[in-house]
Amino acid sequence: MSYATQSLTNRTALEELSVKTLPGVGEQVATRLARIGIATVFDLLLHLPIRYQDRTRAHCIADLRVGQEVVVEGTIMSVAFSHGKRRSLKVTLCDDSGGLLILRFFHFSSAQIHQFTRGNQLRCYGEARQGPYDLEMIHPECDFYPQFDPITTATTLTPVYPSTAGITQLIWRHLTKQALAVLISADDLLPEFIPPEQLTKLSLPTLVEAFCLLHYPPATIDIDALIKRHHPAFQRIVLEELLAKQLALQQLRTCRNHFSATALIGNGHLRKQLRAGLGFTLTAAQERVINELTCDLVQTQPMMRLLQGDVGSGKTIVAVLAALQAIEAGYQAALMAPTELLAEQHLSHLRRWLNPLGLQPISLSSRHKGAERRHILTRIRNENTAIIVGTHALFQEAVQFAALGLVIIDEQHRFGVQQRLLLRAKGEAHGRIPHQLIMTATPIPRSLAMVAYADLELSVIDELPTGRQPITTVAVPDQRRAEVIERVRAACAQGRQAYWVCTLIEESDVLQCQAAEVTAANLIGQLPELRIGFIHGRMKAIEREPVMSAFIAGELDLLVATTVIEVGVDVANASLIIIENPERLGLAQLHQLRGRVGRGHAASFCLLLYRPPLTAAAAERLNILRQECSGFQIADADLRLRGAGEVLGTRQAGMTIWRLVDPLRDAPLVPAARLLADWIIERHQELINPLMRRWLNQEEVHHFLTVA
Ligand code: ADP
Ligand code: MG
């Protein structure tokens, strides 16, 4: 297996070679490239054409259609000036096919005029458009016999690249040609990591072949497959990226296997008591997931499970049952929420459920200060069996757990791998780490979950508690605001409660809150008979709490809020939600907001109060929301509309920033990537780090290389 191992010693691999080493690339071009994330020659190679021009052969003028971009060759029939509004030069070209084509120029020098002489032969490249009489090309690129420019006598298709200000297509072509020349000049610059027999088996080209082909394909290629990115050359590259990511995640798994966890074997008495007092029966899906968790927790191998369940599917109770298993076994469980508001709500649920069992949940957040905080920290350090609720404050160094057996992270999409590991480190004692359960209502399509969270086991609650009514969603233009206000009045008159969500219309937090304040004041004026509360993101938890509690207790009819109520707030009597400016929000967030209603037995409504005109994309989003109520369907649609990066919230999560992979499109390649990963781990460990270094970003590489 010398194909790759021989070159691992070479330090200046292509992925470390600066673009500045290429001839003709100065500071200015390098700076412009850096702006779009291209620093190395490898980055440049990954910058793939969006389409191709066929300049390899001349097209018959007679067959020319509007919109075609082609080369034509012919004889100049006539040359004329027009002196209309804009001075222009009109050249008529014909070829043996008998067709006529007008070439039109608005800028031209006298030297150019001389070249356009009747009877001269001309080759030009441009896009055919419909003129007043004949097809025309505006400012085509021209070449005159007898010397043709090699660009127009190309033997391969000509790439057209996505661009940035200050870099023309000619510069791009120059750049990628130089990059390919470097690549071909020495075969150890970009070592091939996938062995030839594997490539043959998969009918894929080598990496070098793939890059050459994607940038300068032969004219005979299946262009459609290239552009839609189904071509084997493209798949070859994507496969390697998937492979690298797969290896990274397997490293994470392996490292997990180095640790053991405490088997949490409880006798079930607390769980039994809790179930008896619940007042509802768990759904079959909840029972299934509880069973999965129970089985995981009695193992000495740390659990690492992702629990997906749509908003309102009842994840909390499942988590609490798992926590009780830890407590029965004599250990602590920590439940971590992404916001203070959610942590508070969890706390109140926990109190309601656990106080009857004689348990006092401990809560820690950043608002606990001084003596109170010290007291809480002491309890966490000393109480062997306890359930602890908090925000990211639980990560802090000062927090020491007596015996952390289980960590539950709610709404995972706000936490990244980094934090996951951090909290795990918290419980790490004598080589033992706590079990981990991560919960999310952002339903990640399975295809995506497979590649993004390969280090986690997956559980899904795919069923809502019985008796829930589907939420009717309607889009209403802002002009009909008065009607919407009447709807609120009517709903509250019937004893129901409502939310009015003011979403980001101002850039800054401060302005947004001011805008929401104005809305709240107006509503108070317009609905004098209602009890109206107002909460926003800049309020301290201690100010927000009484308002929330009043709403939960039914002492407020209408809650006006900024998007702070987004995740998890749970008031069964609320059956109407108004979302202002929904066009500004993503699908996932809208679905989350909407999930605040439809939690009880009453028919619920969501009114999307938008400001026309809507962009096509916004209209599409609102449409999907009106038609779909399943979070999974919505996530799929979201993925189609926006691409994977944003759905996962990668910016926060600090992972899964794909260079070329599109998880939805490339999911069929995942099994092959997995097999390859297994094979490399078994037979070619030495390739793991180079592969990760080639494909992962700096932060990720650092993380995975040091963890390993
Ligand atoms: P989410 O999955 O969005 O976190 P929650 O755990 O907040 O949902 O549950 C939503 C509401 O449904 C809570 O009030 C919870 O007590 C209730 N609930 C959970 N499971 C059931 C069930 N099987 N039947 C009826 N109500 C349930
Ligand atoms: Mg929840």
Side-chain angles (χ1 to χ4, degrees):
M1 284 300 146
S2 59
Y3 66 95
T5 30
Q6 66 186 14
S7 31
L8 290 183
T9 46
N10 192 318
R11 293 316 306 153
T12 33
L14 218 53
E15 50 272 35
E16 281 154 32
L17 205 61
S18 161
V19 283
K20 286 191 225 162
T21 59
L22 295 176
V25 178
E27 281 303 330
Q28 199 183 39
V29 170
T31 312
R32 287 178 182 162
L33 288 174
R35 270 204 310 255
I36 51 170
I38 298 178
T40 68
V41 177
F42 186 64
D43 295 335
L44 198 53
L45 288 174
L46 289 184
H47 189 74
L48 295 177
I50 28 169
R51 58 193 182 86
Y52 303 87
Q53 301 169 340
D54 187 355
R55 296 167 179 247
T56 60
R57 60 202 151 88
H59 200 94
C60 284
I61 293 179
D63 297 341
L64 208 54
R65 307 245 177 298
V66 173
Q68 280 183 322
E69 260 186 84
V70 289
V71 175
V72 292
E73 278 176 20
T75 311
I76 295 176
M77 300 283 293
S78 66
V79 180
F81 288 98
S82 88
H83 297 278
K85 247 191 253 161
R86 260 176 105 187
R87 200 170 81 102
S88 73
L89 173 67
K90 178 181 153 189
V91 176
T92 309
L93 196 69
C94 81
D95 67 2
D96 296 342
S97 70
L100 274 187
L101 178 69
I102 311 296
L103 314 179
R104 220 178 262 285
F105 300 87
F106 296 102
H107 317 280
F108 42 90
S109 63
S110 50
Q112 281 170 317
I113 300 173
H114 283 296
Q115 292 184 298
F116 293 112
T117 314
R118 204 190 132 124
N120 265 6
Q121 295 231 304
L122 179 63
R123 169 184 286 182
C124 57
Y125 180 86
E127 184 188 341
R129 304 196 195 177
Q130 189 59 58
Y133 307 106
D134 299 292
L135 288 182
E136 300 191 347
M137 280 184 184
I138 315 279
H139 277 273
E141 296 169 37
C142 293
D143 271 313
F144 296 87
Y145 278 128
Q147 294 136 319
F148 277 151
D149 184 305
I151 287 208
T152 52
T153 47
T155 52
T156 60
L157 298 181
T158 307
V160 178
Y161 294 96
S163 196
T164 177
I167 302 194
T168 63
Q169 289 300 328
L170 278 176
I171 299 180
W172 277 118
R173 283 169 207 154
H174 171 79
L175 287 169
T176 53
K177 278 197 173 141
Q178 298 295 328
L180 288 171
V182 171
L183 176 63
I184 296 164
S185 70
D187 52 355
D188 59 351
L189 280 176
L190 191 68
E192 178 63 48
F193 291 138
I194 305 182
E197 64 272 19
Q198 301 273 357
L199 289 177
T200 316
K201 211 168 76 190
L202 297 162
S203 309
L204 294 176
T206 65
L207 193 57
V208 174
E209 284 164 353
F211 276 126
C212 292
L213 200 107
L214 287 166
H215 286 282
Y216 293 93
T220 50
I221 204 159
D222 178 355
I223 280 209
D224 203 46
L226 268 194
I227 290 177
K228 296 217 176 94
R229 308 207 150 173
H230 296 312
H231 196 277
F234 187 76
Q235 294 188 327
R236 163 65 187 79
I237 298 177
V238 157
L239 179 72
E240 193 174 301
E241 184 174 13
L242 286 169
L243 169 64
K245 199 70 82 166
Q246 192 68 33
L247 285 169
L249 291 166
Q250 301 230 11
Q251 294 287 97
L252 211 60
R253 263 176 196 244
T254 317
C255 126
R256 167 168 39 136
N257 293 340
H258 287 318
F259 291 100
S260 55
T262 309
L264 301 174
I265 307 170
N267 62 9
H269 75 284
L270 291 174
R271 282 172 282 174
K272 209 163 140 198
Q273 231 180 309
L274 175 65
R275 277 167 176 271
L278 266 187
F280 53 75
T281 337
L282 297 174
T283 61
Q286 284 172 315
E287 292 290 4
R288 191 188 61 237
V289 172
I290 290 165
N291 197 33
E292 286 165 355
L293 297 179
T294 314
C295 294
D296 279 3
L297 292 177
V298 298
Q299 308 294 324
T300 51
Q301 207 192 34
M303 172 176 85
M304 265 282 208
R305 201 170 265 281
L306 179 68
L307 169 54
Q308 294 190 312
D310 212 341
V311 279
S313 62
K315 295 183 292 294
T316 318
I317 185 68
V318 169
V320 171
L321 284 165
L324 286 182
Q325 184 170 345
I327 291 173
E328 283 166 5
Y331 287 85
Q332 296 173 309
L335 170 58
M336 190 163 66
T339 62
E340 302 247 329
L341 187 68
L342 264 195
E344 288 151 29
Q345 183 179 280
H346 278 321
L347 182 67
S348 79
H349 279 183
L350 287 174
R351 285 200 176 124
R352 198 174 73 223
W353 283 329
L354 303 185
N355 287 355
L357 315 188
L359 294 170
Q360 304 296 332
I362 305 174
S363 134
L364 177 70
S365 85
S366 48
R367 87 182 132 108
H368 292 124
K369 298 262 151 46
E372 191 185 13
R373 183 179 153 81
R374 277 196 300 278
H375 173 69
I376 293 170
L377 291 180
T378 312
R379 281 189 69 191
I380 298 177
R381 205 167 42 241
N382 295 324
E383 289 182 27
N384 266 334
T385 61
I387 179 157
I388 300 133
V389 193
T391 56
H392 53 276
L394 293 179
F395 286 134
Q396 287 160 6
E397 249 164 67
V399 186
Q400 282 173 22
F401 292 86
L404 188 57
L406 169 66
V407 172
I408 301 159
I409 302 177
D410 197 13
E411 303 303 344
Q412 143 76 14
H413 60 286
R414 306 232 174 160
F415 294 106
V417 179
Q418 244 83 326
Q419 282 115 315
R420 223 148 81 201
L421 289 161
L422 249 172
L423 196 66
R424 169 159 98 193
K426 276 273 161 215
E428 191 175 334
H430 321 296
R432 289 207 180 159
I433 59 174
H435 296 280
Q436 272 189 69
L437 173 65
I438 293 146
M439 307 200 288
T440 177
T442 307
I444 300 152
R446 225 166 236 278
S447 61
L448 199 50
M450 249 181 0
V451 267
Y453 293 114
D455 67 321
L456 303 176
E457 254 69 54
L458 192 60
S459 286
V460 182
I461 303 184
D462 49 6
E463 177 184 3
L464 292 181
T466 46
R468 294 273 167 83
Q469 302 242 12
I471 305 164
T472 310
T473 303
V474 193
V476 186
D478 193 49
Q479 291 91 318
R480 289 170 51 197
R481 200 181 181 85
E483 275 171 59
V484 172
I485 292 173
E486 286 316 307
R487 278 291 281 278
V488 174
R489 196 192 308 277
C492 296
Q494 286 172 12
R496 313 238 69 100
Q497 287 166 283
Y499 294 99
W500 189 294
V501 185
C502 311
T503 64
L504 187 76
I505 28 174
E506 303 292 350
E507 289 311 314
S508 81
D509 233 20
V510 182
L511 288 178
Q512 191 199 352
C513 291
Q514 284 171 0
E517 237 164 83
V518 172
T519 307
N522 285 342
L523 287 170
I524 290 169
Q526 285 156 320
L527 296 163
E529 76 276 30
L530 298 189
R531 298 161 300 171
I532 301 178
F534 176 51
I535 57 167
H536 60 76
R538 292 176 63 82
M539 276 163 102
K540 293 210 169 66
I542 203 150
E543 302 163 330
R544 217 160 45 198
E545 203 168 28
V547 185
M548 270 325 288
S549 326
F551 189 69
I552 292 167
E555 291 154 12
L556 290 174
D557 305 301
L558 176 65
L559 183 66
V560 183
T562 56
T563 49
V564 290
I565 64 152
E566 183 190 337
V567 269
V569 174
D570 181 40
V571 179
N573 188 44
S575 63
L576 174 63
I577 184 165
I578 321 306
I579 305 174
E580 278 203 72
N581 305 307
E583 66 273 17
R584 303 293 184 100
L585 302 182
L587 268 176
Q589 204 181 1
L590 285 169
H591 179 65
Q592 286 275 353
L593 282 170
R594 179 173 62 176
R596 291 320 101 217
V597 298
R599 300 183 151 245
H601 294 288
S604 293
F605 297 87
C606 169
L607 306 187
L608 305 168
L609 191 56
Y610 68 91
R611 247 172 240 206
L614 288 177
T615 63
E620 168 87 28
R621 278 203 301 277
L622 299 192
N623 241 334
I624 290 170
L625 206 69
R626 280 174 36 214
Q627 286 158 16
E628 278 300 339
C629 53
S630 146
F632 284 88
Q633 302 294 337
I634 288 176
D636 263 330
D638 208 13
L639 193 59
R640 274 199 308 279
L641 288 180
R642 298 195 303 163
E646 291 187 66
V647 173
L648 282 177
T650 45
R651 299 297 107 80
Q652 296 137 309
M655 78 168 301
T656 321
I657 295 167
W658 301 102
R659 309 210 52 176
L660 291 181
V661 166
D662 169 341
L664 208 56
R665 179 193 60 208
D666 301 323
L669 290 171
V670 172
R674 291 199 162 169
L675 284 178
L676 270 177
D678 291 344
W679 185 84
I680 283 179
I681 289 166
E682 227 170 82
R683 318 253 306 261
H684 288 281
Q685 295 260 345
E686 75 284 1
L687 298 181
I688 296 177
N689 281 353
L691 264 165
M692 293 200 299
R693 218 175 265 135
R694 181 181 285 174
W695 286 102
L696 274 56
N697 66 38
Q698 284 304 309
E699 209 178 302
E700 287 176 305
V701 166
H702 175 74
H703 171 65
F704 287 115
L705 293 183
T706 50
V707 159

